[in-house]
Each structure stands twice: as C-alpha cells, then as structure tokens.
Amino acid sequence: MSAFVIRGAVAADRDDLARLSTQLGYPMTPDEASARLADIGGHPDHALFVAESGDGRLAAWLQVSLPRIFESPRQ
C-alpha cells in the first residue's frame, strides 16, 4: 500500500491539478488552475488540500469551504 502525504495545495501543483480536473470531466489548463487556486487562497474560509503520492504526483484533491447561506446558520 502506498502512503500519501496530505498537504495544502500550492502554485507549483497547477499542472497536476489541471490534469486531475480534466480527468474528472472538467477541462482545465494549468493557467486556469493557477488562477482558481489564487482565488481560493484569497479567502480564509476556503482551502484546497492535495494527496501527494510517493513519486510526487498528485492523486486527488479535496476542497473545503465555509458556506454562507442566508436561510441557515453556519455549518
């Protein structure tokens, strides 16, 4: 079984993030990945984590955020 390192996404992950997004059916260029990651990084209530395999490639990501919905309290 391979071990994965879970860490926050960084700008250098742009190529792998674009590749993973495209594999999931959401085509994305590395430049678009950079812009989206920068946008998320500007908000303290959002984070993008990645799972990095032993060979340094990203295998997955997980985005978390604090929703702000008028009709319900924060969750």
Side-chain angles (χ1 to χ4, degrees):
M1 186 162 115
S2 298
F4 290 93
V5 173
I6 307 299
R7 61 172 176 76
V10 296
D13 296 327
R14 63 185 242 141
D15 292 340
D16 277 337
L17 289 169
R19 174 183 54 81
L20 289 170
S21 183
T22 300
Q23 286 177 351
L24 290 170
Y26 303 98
M28 183 182 301
T29 67
D31 286 341
E32 290 170 326
S34 289
R36 293 176 188 183
L37 186 57
D39 185 46
I40 290 169
H43 298 278
D45 54 0
H46 282 65
L48 189 69
F49 296 97
V50 296
E52 183 177 4
S53 64
D55 65 1
R57 284 180 50 115
L58 299 188
W61 85 73
L62 170 72
Q63 182 178 354
V64 295
S65 63
L66 177 63
R68 298 173 188 273
I69 302 170
F70 175 74
E71 67 273 12
S72 61
R74 284 190 184 180
Q75 302 177 27

